[in-house]
Every structure is written in structure tokens, then in C-alpha cells.
Amino acid sequence: MRQTHPMAHEHHRRRDNVASASAPGAVEARLQLIETAGFGDYALIDSGNGRKLERFGTVVVDRPEPQALWTPSAGERAWKNANAVFAGDDDEDKGRWRIDKPVPESWPVKVGAATVLCRLASFRHMGLFPEQVPHWQWMLERLAEKREPARVLNLFAYTGAASLMAAAAGAHVTHVDASKKAITWAKENQAASGLSAAPIRWMLDDATKFVAREVRRGKTYDVVLVDPPKFGRGPEGEVWDLFTSLPPLMKDVAALLAPQASLVLTVYAIRASSLAFEQLCREVLAGRGGTFQSGELAIREENGTRAVPTSLFTRWCGA
């Protein structure tokens, strides 16, 4: 039995930026800005001066956000209300959390059918990326179109919010991550979500190697989520570099897509271009038809004034 997704009515915005040319052979490009205004357990309170102030459940955090070039609109008192502040270089691999008010070791944040146990993790992360809510909604819409239990492949799956939502909707999920710590965290989220019996296959593996094996086995999936880091290492020291490793991976991912499948690629290398990643997807999916959407994800402040860009995306639905 498929569950009605409780986030189906969450507010998010799509804004189209259409660029076209009249020159012979010109190609029309349509890029989208997809924003989320937050949800019950999450809000972007304020942003500016290279920082963002957010609420995850009951905990307020102050984290770096280099793209917040403007001046904060909330008063100093709001910023001083933060439980924890991530202090360090602009490089997200360096820094540490300063705890100004009590913070639990972990605490629950409800997002749709999933409960994510947030933590003050390294690299200024919390274990949840709220800007991806519209992608998860889109995934659930695609799953609802399937008559049989859909097969979902979640690559670089981290703490598993998308995996849990897909499983709660009746899908059979393969969750792949190269970090044992991340998979352990995802399993804890599974228990916290009351989904211990859900059909999720947990794979501690290098995404590139796993996908290549699945291609050789002739496996196919109805929905594939790809959320790669800029740099990383697999469980056996395999090196991942986004700009050199992604193209061959996407060629293999294309071979795993069942007829009328769907694909979501999210990239946090925000200094790159969504157009570049769309063109890569168009190349590996050449001849498959279907429709593409590309652009940026952003989170809007709770007062509605501004939105903070977070990542690039390309989505594809097979014909």
C-alpha cells in the first residue's frame, strides 16, 4: 500500500529563466530556480555576511554560506540565539563547532515520512539537506506513477532521507555510500522513522564500481538519484573527482535506467554550471527521448525576503 506523502502540500517555487536566440540553429535553454520555504522542522531564519542562520527541529545553528553576499535582516539578538556556531575557514573541510547553548548529541527532525537524527557533524553539515525537499517530492510523484513496486537506486546516499521516503512510498531501494559511518547513521534514521521492515538494501561500496557491476548484471532501476561530492574516497581508497569521475559514471547510470525511468542529478559544486551537467546528461541519454529540467536549488528565508542558492540539478523523465 502506497502512503500519501505528508509533504505533498509543502510550499516551493519554480521560476523559469528562458533564454533563446533567433540565429539559425539556435537552441532554446530553459533553466529553473526551485526554492523551498522550509517545513515544520526546518527554517532558514536569516542570512548575510557570508553566514546563514537555520533552525533544525529545536536547534538553531549559525553556519558559513559564502554566497550570502548581502546584509542580514534579523537583529543581532536573533543571531546570538544560536545554539551552535561553525567557526573556521571558508573551506568547508576546515573548522569546528562552537557550542554556545546546550545541543543534544543527536535530535530528530521530521521531513515527510522520514525522521532524520541531526548532529553537529564535521564539515559544518547536520545530516540533512533541506533544499532537496522539492527533489524528494518529485521522486515521490514519479513513484506514484508506477503500478508495481518501483526500484530506486540512491547513489552517494549519505544519511538516507531520500531512501527512507522512497521505501515508505512502497519502493524497493538500493542505498549506496562509501562511508560506513554514513550508512550506520542512515540505519539509525531508518529505526527512528519506524521503517525497520522497509525493503532497503544497504551497500557500503564505491559508487562507480557498484554501478559498473550492476550494468554487467543487466540490472535496471525506475528512479536513480545521484548526489556526488566534489572530492571523495571510496572504502578502498578509490579517488573521486567530480569533473573527471562523473562523466563515466553517468554513462553507466544511463545503462541502468529502465524504460520510462527518472533521474535526478544534484551537484553542490555551485561554482560550476547547471548547463554543463544538463549537457552531460543529454549526451549519456541520447536517443532516450523524455524531458529535461535543469537549474538551481535554493532555500528562501522564512520572512520571504531572500533565497540562498545551494546546488545545481538536472532531472530527466523517460518518455
Side-chain angles (χ1 to χ4, degrees):
M1 179 70 67
R2 294 190 182 278
Q3 298 183 6
T4 300
H5 185 48
M7 293 171 56
H9 302 293
E10 293 288 356
H11 172 69
H12 61 275
R13 306 178 184 179
R14 289 183 173 88
R15 297 182 180 178
D16 291 347
N17 179 24
V18 180
S20 60
S22 58
V27 177
E28 180 180 279
R30 180 182 296 270
L31 300 180
Q32 288 188 331
L33 173 62
I34 299 181
E35 304 174 0
T36 180
F39 46 93
D41 269 4
Y42 172 81
L44 174 62
I45 299 170
D46 193 20
S47 61
N49 291 344
R51 310 287 299 183
K52 57 184 175 181
L53 186 67
E54 302 163 285
R55 178 180 58 80
F56 287 80
T58 59
V59 176
V60 176
V61 295
D62 173 354
R63 298 191 287 170
E65 180 47 70
Q67 297 196 102
L69 305 176
W70 43 86
T71 302
S73 58
E76 184 179 352
R77 182 176 180 181
W79 287 82
K80 286 187 175 180
N81 192 46
N83 295 76
V85 178
F86 192 89
D89 299 339
D90 286 343
D91 183 348
E92 66 179 31
D93 291 341
K94 298 178 182 178
R96 59 182 178 80
W97 285 101
R98 187 188 78 225
I99 298 176
D100 294 340
K101 297 182 180 180
V103 178
E105 181 178 348
S106 65
W107 68 95
V109 171
K110 183 75 172 176
V111 52
T115 296
V116 175
L117 299 175
C118 283
R119 295 170 184 157
L120 299 180
S122 57
F123 310 146
R124 71 188 177 197
H125 297 316
M126 313 294 297
L128 177 66
F129 293 86
E131 64 273 11
Q132 293 207 28
V133 164
H135 279 348
W136 300 334
Q137 293 173 327
W138 185 84
M139 172 191 71
L140 293 171
E141 291 166 4
R142 304 289 78 74
L143 294 178
E145 297 167 356
K146 306 296 180 183
R147 293 185 179 181
E148 300 296 331
R151 300 177 303 279
V152 173
L153 175 60
N154 191 6
L155 298 173
F156 309 98
Y158 195 38
T159 57
S163 297
L164 295 170
M165 290 183 190
H172 291 182
V173 180
T174 300
H175 174 113
V176 182
D177 201 283
S179 166
K180 183 177 181 180
K181 182 178 180 181
I183 287 183
T184 299
W185 193 345
K187 289 180 178 179
E188 292 171 0
N189 291 338
Q190 181 183 27
S193 301
L195 295 170
S196 295
I200 301 176
R201 183 168 60 136
W202 304 100
M203 303 300 299
L204 175 64
D205 207 342
D206 174 74
T208 300
K209 291 183 177 179
F210 177 83
V211 168
R213 288 198 303 272
E214 291 289 89
V215 171
R216 292 194 295 270
R217 293 166 181 157
K219 301 290 187 180
T220 61
Y221 293 88
D222 299 296
V223 176
V224 178
L225 310 174
V226 187
D227 185 10
K230 286 180 282 188
F231 299 97
R233 291 190 179 275
E236 296 181 5
E238 302 91 340
V239 176
W240 170 270
D241 176 87
L242 177 69
F243 294 100
T244 58
S245 303
L246 184 64
L249 172 68
M250 293 304 295
K251 289 180 182 178
D252 281 345
V253 166
L256 294 180
L257 293 167
Q260 299 181 334
S262 300
L263 168 70
V264 180
L265 169 64
T266 308
V267 181
Y268 281 84
I270 198 76
R271 292 187 180 95
S273 166
S274 57
L275 180 60
F277 296 110
E278 178 182 306
Q279 290 174 164
L280 169 62
C281 289
R282 285 185 179 274
E283 178 183 74
V284 301
L285 294 167
R288 293 290 296 268
T291 58
F292 288 86
Q293 294 175 305
S294 296
E296 292 190 20
L297 296 183
I299 300 177
R300 184 155 291 275
E301 293 175 354
E302 62 179 354
N303 64 11
T305 304
R306 296 164 302 203
V308 173
T310 64
S311 54
L312 311 174
F313 76 89
T314 290
R315 303 195 300 210
W316 173 80
C317 276

